[in-house]
Amino acid sequence: MAKCEYLNPSGSIKDRIAAHIVDCAEQDGRLKPGDTLVASTSGNTGAAVAMVAAIRGYGYIAITNAKCSQEKRDSMAAYGGKLIVAQDGLAADHPEHYVNLEATLCARRSDYFPINQYENPDNPGAYYQTLGPEIWRQTGGGVTHFIAGGSTGGTVTGTGRFLKEASRGRCKVLMPDPVGSVMLGAYHGDGTAVVIGALAAKSYAVEGVGKDSVPGCVDFSIVDAMLSVTDKQCFDMCLRLSREEGLLTGGSSGLNMHAAVELSGRCKPGAVIVVVLPDSGVKYLSKIYSPAWRRSKGFETQEDEADAPAGADTDADAGAARDPQRDANLARVSSAFKLSGTSNTDQLLNVVDK
């Protein structure tokens, strides 16, 4: 089952935390009329915060980096506030890293309110109070597996905690992670980012999931297993969803659905797998759904497209040897194995009932 969170008003799952964080801040007096909301974001939270700001009469500043798609930049600016685009590829502790700029701006002015989505406990709290109960109710309490990647960690932590409590531990939580993110190494290590080697932060193309540092919102004790996924696997799955299922989704949805397909072949009959589809593919028409962009990144060759029969999914059928991150992923999984004695296959078995 897919939870189509891209149907929320601003086009993503982040509407949940934007409304909840602002509600909590208003209720306890931290946010006052005339204040400006400031959010560091890979795009979706910025658009959600901008929408809430417009509805409630606040100003807003959204801070993202150059990796953010043009469609998401335009959506953040469309509500009338300010958009700052920081340099991409900076170290997580660099003062001009987009996440750090939020704190810097808010320290200068008392009427700037930090959304602080990566550290704010109201982030997982939003999912604990909304998404978790919705999934439980909509599956009649039958959900056995929940799948969500993590950027802030709010979705997987808040939703996963609720489902585990409601099911008395029966529901298992699988968290896929893109190659280049530090989450996998932190999960298999001591909870902090690995800084050297295959598990250290690297550049990757999928947006809005994974991270170059470990956010305070993520609680790895909720996660039963993690699965390492390449950019190409994410984008190939996006194309399958659009062409075979009529679901136009973003890269994090491809990540989550790839993990769901991998898991489904190993589950017993009767398992109820719920996978989150966080945002819309409309936000990535210039990237994921552009053959020219995919070719420029090595996810597809012109020959692949030209040689394919009419109607064929050339992207999904492209061989693993053409995956630019394949070798990096093998090294990454191998490094995780050395830390924890587990592999991608073993991780899947961790969430399958014996």
Side-chain angles (χ1 to χ4, degrees):
M1 296 183 181
K3 188 69 169 163
C4 296
E5 288 295 294
Y6 59 83
L7 297 176
N8 285 307
S10 81
S12 87
I13 196 171
K14 296 295 188 173
D15 287 4
R16 294 180 184 272
I17 68 168
H20 185 69
I21 288 173
V22 170
D23 283 345
C24 292
E26 288 177 341
Q27 290 165 10
D28 63 21
R30 288 176 292 135
L31 184 57
K32 301 176 178 60
D35 281 355
T36 295
L37 309 179
V38 183
S40 57
T41 172
S42 57
N44 286 327
T45 298
V49 167
M51 179 188 70
V52 171
I55 293 170
R56 303 196 188 185
Y58 297 110
Y60 73 88
I61 300 173
I63 310 165
T64 190
N65 63 17
K67 179 179 176 180
C68 181
S69 73
Q70 189 61 50
E71 293 90 338
K72 288 197 291 185
R73 296 187 203 185
D74 291 344
S75 69
M76 286 186 277
Y79 295 92
K82 183 176 182 181
L83 173 65
I84 298 173
V85 181
Q87 182 180 340
D88 188 24
L90 297 176
D93 59 355
H94 193 287
E96 295 185 9
H97 187 286
Y98 77 102
V99 173
N100 301 327
L101 286 176
E102 178 183 324
T104 300
L105 288 179
C106 291
R108 294 174 180 171
R109 292 186 53 165
S110 61
D111 60 342
Y112 280 8
F113 176 79
I115 295 297
N116 193 25
Q117 66 165 327
Y118 297 98
E119 307 296 326
N120 194 332
D122 292 331
N123 175 348
Y127 297 110
Y128 184 88
Q129 293 184 27
T130 63
L131 187 59
E134 285 176 26
I135 291 172
W136 184 252
R137 183 176 67 252
Q138 290 168 345
T139 61
V143 56
T144 58
H145 298 81
F146 174 67
I147 300 177
S151 177
T152 67
T155 303
V156 70
T157 296
T159 311
R161 178 176 289 124
F162 179 89
L163 294 176
K164 282 184 171 292
E165 291 177 0
S167 67
R168 298 183 180 180
R170 178 174 54 86
C171 182
K172 304 297 184 182
V173 176
L174 175 61
M175 179 179 169
D177 193 46
V179 174
S181 166
V182 301
M183 297 287 206
L184 183 76
Y187 176 74
H188 289 299
D190 61 4
T192 62
V194 175
V195 296
I196 299 173
L199 293 168
K202 304 286 191 308
S203 175
Y204 57 96
V206 64
E207 296 183 34
V209 69
K211 202 74 182 69
D212 55 4
S213 60
V214 180
C217 287
V218 66
D219 181 355
F220 287 123
S221 71
I222 300 297
V223 179
D224 294 291
M226 290 191 68
L227 187 71
S228 187
V229 183
T230 69
D231 284 333
K232 188 177 189 307
Q233 289 171 324
C234 297
F235 301 149
D236 283 354
M237 184 56 70
C238 287
L239 295 175
R240 284 189 62 188
L241 287 172
S242 65
R243 297 172 182 181
E244 298 176 16
E245 305 295 339
L247 301 175
L248 189 64
T249 64
S252 57
S253 299
L255 175 101
N256 292 340
M257 188 59 76
H258 175 86
V261 170
E262 290 288 320
L263 175 62
S264 65
R266 295 169 170 82
C267 287
K268 291 181 178 179
V272 178
I273 301 171
V274 176
V275 56
V276 173
L277 305 183
D279 70 354
S280 171
V282 171
K283 296 169 181 277
Y284 308 96
L285 295 178
S286 63
K287 290 190 168 187
I288 299 171
Y289 297 95
S290 165
W293 182 84
R294 293 196 304 273
R295 286 195 299 269
S296 74
K297 298 296 181 181
F299 303 127
E300 174 185 292
T301 67
Q302 198 160 12
E303 289 73 20
D304 292 333
E305 212 170 344
D307 293 342
D313 185 349
T314 58
D315 303 78
D317 292 339
R322 287 195 294 270
D323 188 336
Q325 294 174 316
R326 181 174 182 271
D327 291 342
N329 198 30
L330 292 174
R332 191 170 186 249
V333 173
S334 176
S335 295
F337 179 83
K338 291 176 182 176
L339 283 176
S340 63
T342 188
S343 66
N344 257 4
T345 300
D346 291 336
Q347 283 291 293
L348 290 173
L349 293 176
N350 285 344
V351 292
V352 175
D353 291 334
K354 305 297 191 292

